[in-house]
Structure formats: structure tokens, C-alpha cells
């Protein structure tokens, strides 16, 4: 009887060791950390887009700003974010030209001089919706992303949403009398 108890205890101990080992090792799910935050991430060649999202003021949903970090992991080649194509009813204000030096991370929209301002006449920039943007790079690559639109509150309360430049209306030409 004692032999059966010892054999059972040995079997249970071995099973416990084997079963507890299923979450160990280099590639175990318990050892990997995904991106934190509300943003989306994408890799395009040597470029990495991290935590890309859009912030809009719920009081004025006619304009919003893009927040993201772009990392150029290339050892020697500089690049640039030189265009953003937006969904059919969303526009991009001004020229987009964000230099991306090699082996550097560049913030856009926060703690940075670089801004991407979106505009919309309809309700396409409403918090909780998604907006489709395609980021275009000087190196010829593009990164299409569907980004969540967040309300300018809580974590995003201090985010500046630049005013869209006023449209210039031509002055009337004097009529000949």
C-alpha cells in the first residue's frame, strides 16, 4: 500500500512540474508584452509606427490631431513622413513633412513640433469612431491604418489640437466705373 502512495505522489509531482512548465521559455505568452495604450502599431520596412491614434475635442469635431511615434531603425538611411492620405470625407491641413533620421524616434502631435491636423465637415471625427489614414514615406513605402478617435479628456485632456488655418478669400477686384 505504501508503494502505491509513493508512486501516486511521484506521478502527481511530475505532472505538476510538467504542467506548470507550459508557460515558460523564451517565447512564452507570459514573457511577451504587447503595445500599451489606445494606439495602433505597424512596421513598414525599417520604420515602426507606435501608438498611433487621433484626438478630437468633442465640442468641435471639425478638426483633430494625430498622435504617434515613428521610429526609423535603419542603421544609415534617413527617411521622412511626407504625406497622409485620409478617408474620403476627412482632409489633412497643410503640408506634412516630418524628418525621420536613422536610428531615431520622432514624436508627432505631443512633446513635438510636428503636427498632423485633420478636418471634417461631417461627423467623421466623432470620438469612438475610426478614421482610415495612409501614412506615406519618402522612401516609397506607405502604412494604411484605421485609427481610433479619442475624446480630448482624461489622458488626452492636455493634447493641443491646432486650429486649422483660416481659408484665404480673394479680395474683390475693383470694378471699372
Amino acid at each position: 500500500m505504501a508503494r502505491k502512495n509513493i508512486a501516486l505522489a511521484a506521478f502527481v509531482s511530475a505532472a505538476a512540474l510538467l504542467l506548470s512548465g507550459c508557460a515558460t521559455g523564451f517565447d512564452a505568452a507570459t514573457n511577451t508584452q504587447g503595445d500599451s495604450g489606445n494606439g495602433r502599431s505597424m512596421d513598414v520596412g525599417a520604420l515602426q509606427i507606435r501608438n498611433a491614434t487621433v484626438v478630437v475635442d468633442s465640442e468641435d469635431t471639425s478638426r483633430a490631431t494625430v498622435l504617434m511615434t515613428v521610429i526609423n531603425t535603419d542603421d544609415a538611411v534617413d527617411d521622412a513622413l511626407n504625406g497622409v492620405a485620409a478617408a474620403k470625407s476627412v482632409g489633412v491641413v497643410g503640408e506634412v513633412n516630418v524628418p525621420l533620421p536613422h536610428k531615431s524616434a520622432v514624436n508627432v502631435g505631443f512633446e513635438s513640433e510636428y503636427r498632423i491636423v485633420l478636418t471634417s465637415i461631417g461627423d467623421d471625427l466623432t470620438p469612438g469612431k475610426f478614421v482610415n489614414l495612409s501614412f506615406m514615406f519618402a522612401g516609397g513605402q506607405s502604412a494604411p491604418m484605421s485609427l481610433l478617435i479619442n475624446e480630448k479628456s482624461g489622458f488626452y485632456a492636455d493634447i493641443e489640437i491646432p486650429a486649422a488655418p483660416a481659408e484665404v478669400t480673394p479680395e474683390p477686384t475693383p470694378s471699372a466705373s
Side-chain angles (χ1 to χ4, degrees), residues 60-64 88-93 118-126 131:
D60 178 11
T61 60
S62 66
R63 59 190 175 78
K88 58 187 171 195
S89 57
V90 174
V92 179
V93 175
L118 306 177
T119 61
S120 176
I121 296 172
D123 65 346
D124 293 321
L125 294 175
T126 302
V131 62

Coordinates of all heavy atoms in Angstrom, one line a residue, residues 60-64 88-93 118-126 131:
D60 N -15.8 70.5 -30.7 CA -15.6 71.0 -32.0 C -15.0 69.8 -32.8 O -13.8 69.6 -32.9 CB -14.6 72.1 -32.0 CG -14.2 72.6 -33.4 OD1 -14.9 72.2 -34.4 OD2 -13.3 73.4 -33.6
T61 N -15.9 69.0 -33.4 CA -15.4 67.8 -34.1 C -15.0 68.1 -35.5 O -14.9 67.2 -36.3 CB -16.5 66.7 -34.0 OG1 -17.7 67.2 -34.7 CG2 -16.8 66.2 -32.6
S62 N -14.8 69.3 -35.9 CA -14.4 69.7 -37.2 C -12.9 69.5 -37.5 O -12.4 69.5 -38.6 CB -14.8 71.1 -37.6 OG -14.1 72.0 -36.8
R63 N -12.1 69.4 -36.4 CA -10.7 69.2 -36.5 C -10.2 68.3 -35.4 O -10.7 68.2 -34.3 CB -10.0 70.5 -36.5 CG -10.2 71.3 -35.3 CD -9.6 72.8 -35.4 NE -10.0 73.5 -34.2 CZ -9.4 73.4 -33.0 NH1 -8.4 72.7 -32.9 NH2 -9.8 74.2 -32.0
A64 N -9.1 67.6 -35.7 CA -8.5 66.6 -34.8 C -7.0 66.6 -35.0 O -6.5 67.2 -36.0 CB -9.1 65.3 -35.0
K88 N -12.4 59.6 -47.5 CA -13.0 60.5 -48.4 C -13.6 61.7 -47.8 O -13.6 62.8 -48.5 CB -14.1 59.7 -49.2 CG -15.1 59.1 -48.3 CD -16.1 58.3 -49.0 CE -17.0 57.5 -48.1 NZ -17.7 56.5 -48.6
S89 N -14.1 61.7 -46.6 CA -14.7 62.9 -46.0 C -13.8 63.6 -45.0 O -14.3 64.5 -44.3 CB -16.0 62.6 -45.5 OG -15.9 61.6 -44.5
V90 N -12.6 63.2 -44.9 CA -11.6 63.8 -43.9 C -10.5 64.4 -44.7 O -10.0 63.8 -45.6 CB -11.1 62.7 -42.9 CG1 -10.1 63.3 -42.0 CG2 -12.3 62.2 -42.1
G91 N -10.1 65.6 -44.3 CA -9.0 66.3 -45.0 C -7.8 66.4 -44.1 O -7.9 66.4 -42.9
V92 N -6.6 66.6 -44.7 CA -5.4 66.9 -43.9 C -5.0 68.3 -44.2 O -4.9 68.8 -45.3 CB -4.2 65.9 -44.4 CG1 -3.0 66.2 -43.6 CG2 -4.6 64.5 -44.2
V93 N -4.8 69.1 -43.1 CA -4.5 70.5 -43.2 C -3.0 70.7 -43.4 O -2.2 70.2 -42.7 CB -4.9 71.3 -41.9 CG1 -4.5 72.7 -42.0 CG2 -6.4 71.1 -41.7
L118 N -6.3 67.0 -38.8 CA -7.3 66.5 -39.7 C -8.5 67.4 -39.6 O -8.8 68.0 -38.5 CB -7.7 65.1 -39.3 CG -6.6 64.1 -39.2 CD1 -7.2 62.8 -38.7 CD2 -5.9 63.9 -40.5
T119 N -9.3 67.6 -40.7 CA -10.5 68.3 -40.7 C -11.6 67.5 -41.3 O -11.4 66.6 -42.1 CB -10.4 69.7 -41.5 OG1 -10.1 69.4 -42.8 CG2 -9.3 70.6 -40.9
S120 N -12.9 67.9 -40.9 CA -14.0 67.2 -41.4 C -15.2 68.1 -41.3 O -15.4 68.8 -40.3 CB -14.3 65.9 -40.7 OG -15.5 65.3 -41.2
I121 N -16.1 68.1 -42.3 CA -17.3 68.9 -42.2 C -18.4 68.1 -41.5 O -19.2 68.6 -40.8 CB -17.7 69.3 -43.6 CG1 -16.7 70.2 -44.2 CG2 -19.1 70.0 -43.6 CD1 -16.9 70.6 -45.7
G122 N -18.5 66.8 -41.8 CA -19.5 66.0 -41.2 C -19.1 65.5 -39.8 O -18.4 66.1 -39.1
D123 N -19.7 64.3 -39.5 CA -19.4 63.7 -38.1 C -18.4 62.6 -38.2 O -18.4 61.7 -37.4 CB -20.7 63.2 -37.5 CG -21.3 62.1 -38.3 OD1 -20.9 61.8 -39.4 OD2 -22.2 61.4 -37.8
D124 N -17.4 62.7 -39.2 CA -16.5 61.6 -39.3 C -15.3 61.7 -38.3 O -14.6 60.8 -38.2 CB -15.8 61.7 -40.7 CG -16.9 61.4 -41.8 OD1 -17.7 60.4 -41.5 OD2 -16.9 62.0 -42.8
L125 N -15.2 62.7 -37.5 CA -14.2 62.8 -36.4 C -14.9 62.8 -35.1 O -14.6 63.5 -34.2 CB -13.4 64.1 -36.6 CG -12.5 64.2 -37.9 CD1 -11.9 65.5 -38.0 CD2 -11.5 63.1 -37.9
T126 N -15.8 61.9 -34.9 CA -16.6 61.7 -33.7 C -15.8 60.8 -32.8 O -15.4 59.7 -33.2 CB -18.0 61.2 -33.9 OG1 -18.6 62.2 -34.8 CG2 -18.8 61.1 -32.7
V131 N -11.0 56.3 -38.1 CA -10.7 57.1 -39.3 C -9.6 56.3 -40.1 O -8.6 55.9 -39.4 CB -10.3 58.5 -39.1 CG1 -9.1 58.7 -38.3 CG2 -10.2 59.3 -40.4

